Amino acid sequence: MRKQIVAGNWKMNKTESESIRLIDEIKAQKLNENVNVFIAPTFVNLASAVKSTKDSGIQVAAQNMHQSSSGAYTGEISAGMLLDIGVNHVILGHSERRAYFGETDQLLNEKVQAASDAGLQIIFCFGEELDDRKSGAHFNIVKQQLSTALFDLDKSQWSQIVLAYEPVWAIGTGETASPAQAQEMHAFIRTLIEDHYDSACADGVSILYGGSVKPANADEIFAQTDVDGGLIGGASLQAADFAAIVNGFE
Ligand code: PGA
């Protein structure tokens, strides 16, 4: 069975003390034990988050990393630095990184390879913009994103990959893809992977949905056959909401 995953992307929110408080509040919640729970605080709060989550079952992910292992890249963080402080997961390709920091699928391909080589687990984000959806180009856009960024990976590397389909028009907007739209795209994504690799690879990869997931809509979205969890932004900043989303799995 595929892993069920709920990951909270905290983006550029929470000071260190606020971050530790939120972790304590999440730990105090009753969480469905079948769900793999991740939180992704800012870089400066990763080390304290690793300590605060120790023995809790909650795992810590970074929101980004650089593709080189070290060197003259002022302001950047490498995969090795993350692993060294006990962070084993990284989110790559978030639409905000693409939109505000110019990350392309070519660059993301380098980041994915670097993360994979270092031994990190990767939550890879992708998804179409509103215009693409309106013009009916969404399937092609997603195919292009996955082909460029991921389809030169060896099949064995897919054990390190979790996908997060996040239609840009649904992120932070309160607008959610309907459960049927999410299922349709997730099934399409699985077919792409099956066509390029094989059905074992396609069946094994967890595909998360992201974009305005809330306690009120999580259970319906997670009930879809090809939806294996969620990447949560705004609602992950409130412990009770985040726990309710985790518990949106039956
Ligand atoms: P949202 O963000 O849940 O606030 O829409 C999702 C994301 O950016 O991953």
Side-chain angles (χ1 to χ4, degrees), residues 3 15 41 46 68 97 99 101 106 111 126 144 165 183 192 195 207 236-237 246 249:
K3 277 190 190 154
T15 61
L46 287 173
S68 298
R97 299 290 321 164
F101 303 97
Q106 285 77 11
K111 290 194 176 200
F126 56 96
Q144 192 58 52
Y165 167 61
Q183 169 56 28
L192 288 177
D195 289 349
I207 309 179
S236 72
L237 298 172
V246 171
F249 280 104

Side-chain angles (χ1 to χ4, degrees), residues 26-83:
I26 295 170
K27 286 198 296 192
Q29 305 282 327
K30 186 150 178 34
L31 301 175
N32 182 335
E33 287 174 5
N34 298 322
V35 179
N36 291 266
V37 176
F38 292 86
I39 55 166
T42 64
F43 280 130
V44 291
N45 295 327
L46 287 173
S48 64
V50 168
K51 286 196 190 81
S52 304
T53 53
K54 196 165 179 287
D55 301 327
S56 71
I58 299 168
Q59 301 178 75
V60 176
Q63 298 174 17
N64 179 31
M65 53 159 258
H66 193 268
Q67 63 275 22
S68 298
S69 55
S70 65
Y73 301 104
T74 301
E76 293 293 328
I77 309 273
S78 71
M81 292 170 187
L82 297 175
L83 288 160

Side-chain angles (χ1 to χ4, degrees), residues 210-241:
S212 298
V213 177
K214 304 275 183 275
N217 59 24
D219 52 350
E220 226 191 329
I221 294 171
F222 296 168
Q224 304 302 310
T225 320
D226 288 294
V227 178
D228 305 304
L231 181 57
I232 321 299
S236 72
L237 298 172
Q238 301 289 337
D241 284 357

Side-chain angles (χ1 to χ4, degrees), residues 9 11 94 96 166 170-173 210-214 231-235:
N9 174 12
K11 307 190 180 183
H94 191 277
E96 288 148 20
E166 298 203 302
I171 296 179
T173 57
S212 298
V213 177
K214 304 275 183 275
L231 181 57
I232 321 299

Side-chain angles (χ1 to χ4, degrees), residues 138-195:
H138 46 296
F139 292 116
N140 275 340
I141 295 286
V142 162
K143 182 176 181 183
Q144 192 58 52
Q145 290 172 324
L146 293 180
S147 309
T148 307
L150 299 181
F151 280 3
D152 67 343
L153 293 177
D154 286 339
K155 201 168 83 178
S156 61
Q157 290 175 286
W158 277 79
S159 61
Q160 292 172 268
I161 302 284
V162 169
L163 297 178
Y165 167 61
E166 298 203 302
V168 179
W169 48 272
I171 296 179
T173 57
E175 185 89 27
T176 322
S178 68
Q181 284 173 320
Q183 169 56 28
E184 184 185 35
M185 184 58 89
H186 284 220
F188 172 73
I189 292 162
R190 235 179 265 291
T191 307
L192 288 177
I193 299 168
E194 181 170 355
D195 289 349

